[in-house]
């Protein structure tokens, strides 16, 4: 017997977040759908997913929660695994970047790149935003603050290792040009070339001394491997690359498909191929960047209270219904808007009505007119042949669309057949045929055609909806595995004699108006809860400091003499402050909360001995103390009560 061809597919490894939403399920559902499709069509599939667990953000969150980073991620990873189980995401392996096998693999890769001089020691300098763990260039800053979260940034410099991306730039440009399928959809190829490769690559920083929760560089342990070398390597460390047990690597690498969200295509098609090439390894065959599921045109976020919880949806509508919606609603490469209305309407019309009706009506009629026994077909008419041709045409159509990752088009094709079947029932009017004994052979043919179409549909939907097919097979009396196989959909008329069994409706019909009202209320409640949580300040005690440390801070009363907006900087106010017999300029990012004229004359609290910083070309000498909510929605300046001269010390 010939060996099955192999197929290796991956999702990105997810950041352990306590905020997993339906958008995260999108990529995993697609990868699982593809893995199932490939298995169904005869491939030996390996499907990898996992979690990306290092970094300062995790370190900080763990500290806030009073646990170790490992304890913190362990808990979240459990939740992620439960979600994949609930959604029938049936992976072959789950890699965690904290796994020993990964840590050792990354250290080995790092060392090899260093030894062959693709990694070298340098100095990294930039504006650093601690909450976002990101360095920014001067140009990227917005109003002198982090362009992502708007918070202040600090100038930081540290020793760091760099990876020579620039050395491989010409090679990669040529590779991408010679392999037009490498980056998909193809518009992303142009984006990578024009926006990143052709303007010129810069070497990237691949280690940090300021991050403790990371994989130590084994030959320089005060450095932790920084982000992408750690994260991207998972695709091969999971296969045992570089160990004595690399059978999986030998068998499955190179990957056939890396499925990733559009925002990380860049890392997968620039850094990753260069890493692999530098290591002398073959490149993945394809990186596909899918679109985003958005809400009101934007990202889902906990603070906006618009996060859609996949667990809730699966529990209410079934994982098959949610998976169907995700794969059907929008073309895979494009962004799509998530709305409750679209979800509920699709489930109702496509699943409860179209698919549900086909199965329930066909089975009910076989029960009613043939005592549940599947009739043998008689002669086919032109009408039958038309439907049969459509059913037989589905196999190549679905194969083509699925291989092109056009999940939505594949499903549209399948639902076209379902629609044709439901029309066929109306055209052939079995209930009229049933009235006349002479029409019995015709009635048998019609019902046979319908059941056989239902069988083919059940097989076709199985990659997207793994649970529903078995329920259909039970109802239409298919027990033989061969009749559930992909090959059996190539030619019509495989359904043998047998019995149907009327079962429950595949998908209960939904009262759309009531359902939407209920979902709307739920969402409002979730939003209110999120707001409450956001506004309820969580106080976490920081490490204790000695009194002498506090004494280093020079806090004084300062009087606002002038205050004006900084031109072309929405967030910034420029203050002239009187501090005793001196005056100084301070720039503060609080323009959103105060009109400049409100502040003139106020006595505020100034941290006077903070090292000066240039913000938007203005030297700021000190910092005004403020109180703010965690999401910065409310911010108030600290002022001094009563009559006290400026310049007085605060202690
Ligand atoms: N850890 C990195 C990936 C490293 S891969 C070597 C990461 N993690 S993530 O958790 O932020 O995102 C994981 C995947 O979820 C990404 O592909 C991302 O695009 C996807 N999605 C997150 N939100 C999404 C939507 N709202 N819609 C669709 N997918 C989105 O990035």
């Amino acid at each position: 017997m010939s060996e099955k061809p192999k197929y290796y597919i991956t999702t990105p490894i997810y950041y352990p977040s306590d905020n997993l939403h339906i958008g995260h399920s999108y990529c995993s559902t697609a990868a699982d759908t593809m893995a199932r499709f490939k298995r169904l069509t005869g491939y030996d599939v390996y499907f990898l997913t996992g979690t990306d667990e290092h970094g300062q953000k995790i370190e900080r969150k763990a500290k806030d929660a009073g646990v170790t980073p490992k304890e913190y991620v362990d808990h979240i990873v459990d939740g992620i695994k439960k979600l994949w189980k609930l959604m029938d995401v049936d992976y072959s392996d789950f890699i965690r970047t904290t796994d020993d096998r990964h840590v050792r693999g990354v250290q080995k890769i790092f060392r090899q790149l260093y030894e062959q001089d693709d990694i070298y020691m340098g100095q990294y300098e930039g504006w650093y935003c601690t909450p976002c763990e990101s360095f920014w260039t001067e140009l990227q800053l917005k109003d002198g603050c982090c362009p992502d979260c708007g918070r202040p940034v600090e100038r930081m410099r540290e020793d760091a290792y760099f990876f020579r991306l620039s050395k491989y730039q010409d090679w990669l440009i040529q590779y991408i040009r010679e392999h037009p399928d490498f980056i998909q959809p193809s518009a992303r190829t142009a984006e990578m070339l024009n926006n990143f490769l052709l303007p010129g690559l810069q070497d990237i920083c691949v280690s940090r001394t300021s991050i403790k929760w990371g994989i130590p560089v084994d030959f320089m342990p005060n450095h932790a491997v920084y982000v992408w070398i750690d994260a991207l390597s998972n695709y091969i460390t999971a296969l045992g690359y570089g160990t004595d047990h690399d059978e999986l690597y030998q068998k499955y690498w190179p990957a056939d498909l890396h499925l990733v969200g559009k925002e990380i295509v860049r890392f997968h098609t620039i850094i990753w191929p260069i890493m692999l090439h530098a290591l002398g390894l073959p490149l993945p065959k394809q990186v596909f960047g899918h679109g985003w599921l958005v809400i009101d045109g934007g990202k889902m976020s906990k603070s906006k209270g618009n996060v859609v919880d996949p667990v809730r949806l699966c529990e209410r509508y079934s994982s098959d219904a949610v998976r169907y919606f995700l794969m059907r609603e929008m073309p895979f490469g494009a962004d799509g808007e998530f709305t409750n209305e679209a979800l509920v309407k699709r489930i109702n019309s496509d699943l409860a009505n179209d698919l549900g009706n086909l199965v329930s009506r066909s089975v009910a009629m076989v029960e009613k007119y043939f005592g549940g026994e599947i009739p043998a077909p008689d002669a086919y008419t032109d009408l039958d042949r038309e439907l049969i041709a459509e059913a037989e045409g589905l196999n190549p159509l679905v194969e083509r669309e699925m291989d092109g990752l056009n999940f939505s088009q594949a499903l549209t094709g399948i639902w076209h057949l379902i629609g044709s079947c439901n029309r066929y029932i109306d055209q052939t009017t079995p209930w009229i045929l049933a009235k006349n004994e002479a029409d019995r052979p015709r009635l048998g043919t019609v019902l046979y055609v319908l059941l056989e179409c239902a069988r083919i549909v059940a097989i076709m939907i199985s990659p997207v909806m793994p649970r529903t097919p078995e329920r259909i097979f039970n109802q239409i009396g298919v027990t033989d595995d061969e009749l559930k196989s992909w090959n059996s959909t190539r030619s019509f008329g495989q359904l043998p004699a047998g019995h149907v069994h009327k079962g429950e409706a595949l998908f209960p019909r939904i009262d759309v108006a009531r359902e939407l009202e209920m979902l709307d209320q739920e969402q409002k409640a979730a939003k209110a809860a999120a707001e409450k949580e956001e506004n309820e300040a969580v106080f976490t005690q920081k490490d204790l400091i000695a009194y002498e440390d506090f004494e280093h801070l020079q806090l004084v009363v300062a009087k606002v003499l002038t205050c004006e907006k900084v031109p072309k900087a929405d967030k910034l106010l420029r203050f002239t402050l009187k501090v005793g017999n001196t005056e100084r300029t301070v720039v503060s990012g609080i323009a959103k909360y105060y009109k400049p004229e409100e502040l003139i004359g106020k006595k505020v609290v100034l941290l006077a001995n903070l090292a000066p910083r240039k913000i938007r070309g203005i030297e700021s000498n000190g910092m005004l103390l403020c109180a703010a909510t965690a999401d910065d929605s409310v911010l108030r300046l600290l002022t001094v009560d009563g009559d006290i001269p400026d310049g007085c010390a605060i202690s």
Side-chain angles (χ1 to χ4, degrees):
M1 218 176 84
S2 69
E3 272 213 355
K4 287 180 176 180
K6 69 93 188 170
Y7 187 79
Y8 179 30
I9 180 169
T10 67
T11 69
I13 45 172
Y14 293 82
Y15 291 126
S17 143
D18 47 7
N19 182 24
L20 270 197
H21 52 64
I22 192 80
H24 294 111
S25 313
Y26 186 60
C27 191
S28 296
T29 302
D32 182 73
T33 295
M34 203 57 196
R36 286 174 191 271
F37 174 71
K38 285 294 182 184
R39 254 180 236 126
L40 183 66
T41 53
Y43 285 75
D44 170 354
V45 173
Y46 202 78
F47 167 21
L48 179 72
T49 189
T51 38
D52 187 358
E53 305 183 6
H54 292 120
Q56 207 162 333
K57 211 173 198 164
I58 296 285
E59 200 176 359
R60 205 178 35 248
K61 284 200 167 180
K63 198 169 174 204
D64 287 351
V67 293
T68 65
K70 184 68 167 64
E71 284 166 341
Y72 178 79
V73 289
D74 279 352
H75 174 69
I76 294 180
V77 169
D78 279 351
I80 294 178
K81 287 186 173 170
K82 276 193 194 128
L83 175 62
W84 296 157
K85 195 162 186 350
L86 178 70
M87 294 199 73
D88 293 315
V89 173
D90 187 15
Y91 47 80
S92 315
D93 191 8
F94 190 105
I95 180 127
R96 301 180 53 178
T97 53
T98 48
D99 286 348
D100 260 3
R101 55 178 176 158
H102 178 74
V103 171
R104 272 184 266 115
V106 168
Q107 287 176 328
K108 202 164 171 181
I109 289 169
F110 200 97
R111 178 187 280 270
Q112 184 184 334
L113 293 173
Y114 177 72
E115 282 172 356
Q116 65 194 38
D117 194 36
D118 281 317
I119 283 180
Y120 60 93
M121 175 63 89
Q123 274 244 320
Y124 193 85
E125 186 176 348
W127 292 106
Y128 191 70
C129 173
T130 308
C132 297
E133 288 178 30
S134 307
F135 269 98
W136 303 102
T137 62
E138 184 82 41
L139 275 180
Q140 287 171 318
L141 298 182
K142 223 173 138 201
D143 299 340
C145 296
C146 170
D148 258 8
C149 72
R151 280 181 259 225
V153 285
E154 292 169 79
R155 192 75 186 158
M156 293 226 313
R157 179 189 298 182
E158 58 181 31
D159 282 349
Y161 286 104
F162 283 77
F163 179 41
R164 292 190 201 281
L165 283 191
S166 54
K167 172 175 156 192
Y168 294 99
Q169 164 185 319
D170 294 341
W171 162 79
L172 186 57
I173 292 174
Q174 190 177 346
Y175 183 88
I176 289 174
R177 287 190 167 143
E178 284 170 3
H179 297 82
D181 288 338
F182 176 54
I183 309 176
Q184 287 295 317
S186 48
R188 304 225 185 268
T189 305
E191 190 184 324
M192 292 305 122
L193 283 171
N194 297 335
N195 295 358
F196 303 109
L197 279 160
L198 294 172
L201 289 180
Q202 289 192 351
D203 296 348
I204 51 157
C205 176
V206 289
S207 82
R208 285 283 200 277
T209 51
S210 51
I211 296 174
K212 298 289 164 257
W213 178 237
I215 299 179
V217 173
D218 56 358
F219 53 90
M220 191 63 86
N222 62 328
H223 283 251
V225 178
Y226 179 64
V227 188
W228 290 104
I229 287 202
D230 174 357
L232 290 160
S233 301
N234 90 88
Y235 301 127
I236 55 176
T237 59
L239 301 180
Y241 166 76
T243 69
D244 294 339
H245 298 286
D246 67 349
E247 300 78 12
L248 288 173
Y249 173 80
Q250 296 300 342
K251 181 168 182 189
Y252 290 108
W253 191 258
D256 294 83
L257 181 63
H258 288 318
L259 271 189
V260 301
K262 61 180 186 177
E263 83 289 8
I264 52 174
V265 169
R266 179 180 160 193
F267 309 108
H268 284 80
T269 60
I270 295 179
I271 301 178
W272 184 222
I274 291 181
M275 267 174 76
L276 289 166
H277 184 65
L279 292 167
L281 305 178
L283 267 48
K285 292 185 191 149
Q286 188 171 91
V287 175
F288 190 102
H290 63 73
W292 273 53
L293 218 54
V294 296
I295 288 199
D296 301 326
K299 277 191 185 179
M300 294 181 202
S301 92
K302 204 171 172 185
S303 55
K304 283 194 225 158
N306 66 5
V307 168
V308 177
D309 178 7
V311 175
R312 169 79 183 118
L313 294 185
C314 288
E315 282 169 356
R316 185 148 184 91
Y317 305 110
S318 81
S319 56
D320 270 13
V322 175
R323 289 172 60 115
Y324 172 74
F325 174 78
L326 291 176
M327 295 296 94
R328 175 73 195 264
E329 189 64 13
M330 64 206 214
F332 194 52
D335 285 353
E337 180 80 27
F338 179 94
T339 65
N340 288 332
E341 189 173 352
L343 172 76
V344 170
K345 283 189 169 164
R346 268 232 178 266
I347 296 177
N348 215 32
S349 73
D350 297 10
L351 301 182
N353 288 340
D354 298 347
L355 177 62
N357 270 349
L358 168 63
V359 174
S360 69
R361 285 166 93 191
S362 309
V363 169
M365 289 190 287
V366 174
E367 286 228 316
K368 188 164 173 196
Y369 306 134
F370 290 89
E373 206 145 317
I374 300 173
D378 192 48
Y380 291 133
T381 65
D382 282 351
L383 189 68
D384 304 340
R385 274 192 282 272
E386 208 179 301
L387 189 62
I388 292 170
E390 183 177 349
E392 285 185 334
L394 214 47
N395 178 302
L397 180 145
V398 169
E399 189 152 336
R400 189 182 64 241
E401 298 296 4
M402 292 294 287
D403 277 334
L405 296 156
N406 299 318
F407 304 111
S408 181
Q409 284 89 325
L411 289 169
T412 304
I414 302 169
W415 256 258
H416 192 277
L417 176 67
I418 296 171
S420 301
C421 288
N422 283 325
R423 267 194 308 283
Y424 174 81
I425 299 180
D426 297 338
Q427 288 161 335
T428 52
T429 57
W431 49 94
I432 297 178
L433 295 174
K435 287 189 179 145
N436 193 342
E437 192 51 35
D439 286 333
R440 210 165 160 73
R442 176 73 196 132
L443 177 62
T445 305
V446 166
L447 296 183
Y448 180 85
V449 166
L450 288 169
L451 292 183
E452 175 65 345
C453 281
R455 184 186 72 83
I456 291 174
V457 164
I459 298 167
M460 296 279 169
I461 62 172
S462 64
V464 177
M465 304 169 75
R467 288 172 188 251
T468 307
E470 219 25 65
R471 298 172 67 207
I472 300 179
F473 293 140
N474 278 336
Q475 295 203 33
I476 65 175
V478 171
T479 49
D480 184 353
D481 277 351
E482 186 46 38
L483 296 176
K484 301 174 185 174
S485 73
W486 180 249
N487 278 342
S488 76
T489 63
R490 285 187 213 280
S491 61
F492 195 87
Q494 314 278 322
L495 185 69
H499 271 89
V500 298
H501 309 279
K502 208 166 168 3
E504 271 181 23
L506 293 178
F507 295 91
R509 208 151 280 145
I510 302 174
D511 178 335
V512 175
R514 272 200 11 217
E515 190 72 11
L516 288 178
E517 163 97 37
M518 191 276 301
L519 288 174
D520 199 41
Q521 302 223 326
E522 258 187 32
Q523 219 156 332
K524 278 190 188 135
K527 196 168 179 169
E531 272 165 15
K532 184 161 180 276
E533 196 182 316
E534 286 281 308
N535 292 333
E536 205 157 45
V538 178
F539 173 72
T540 316
Q541 170 91 53
K542 287 194 177 172
D543 291 343
L544 295 180
I545 56 167
Y547 184 74
E548 301 81 73
D549 291 333
F550 169 70
E551 273 191 324
H552 288 311
L553 302 180
Q554 188 178 18
L555 297 169
V556 289
V557 178
K559 183 174 175 189
V560 179
L561 294 181
T562 69
C563 177
E564 61 202 29
K565 287 197 153 197
V566 175
K568 295 195 204 131
D570 302 344
K571 296 199 173 101
L572 301 181
L573 291 179
R574 175 201 182 121
F575 292 84
T576 314
L577 301 175
K578 180 170 168 307
V579 185
N581 57 349
T582 64
E583 279 184 20
R584 61 168 73 199
T585 301
V586 168
V587 177
S588 175
I590 60 171
K592 186 162 113 187
Y593 309 95
Y594 289 100
K595 292 198 181 85
E597 57 274 19
E598 286 176 65
L599 298 175
I600 293 170
K602 282 216 188 290
K603 298 253 176 76
V604 293
V605 177
L606 173 74
L607 174 57
N609 62 337
L610 188 66
R613 231 182 84 187
K614 270 216 163 148
I615 303 176
R616 282 293 166 127
I618 307 168
E619 185 173 282
S620 178
N621 289 283
M623 188 170 85
L624 296 180
L625 299 196
C626 303
T629 54
D631 66 349
D632 285 336
S633 58
V634 181
L635 178 145
R636 304 315 294 162
L637 259 181
L638 259 62
T639 52
V640 185
D641 189 24
D643 200 11
I644 184 151
D646 54 80
C648 288
I650 298 173
S651 55

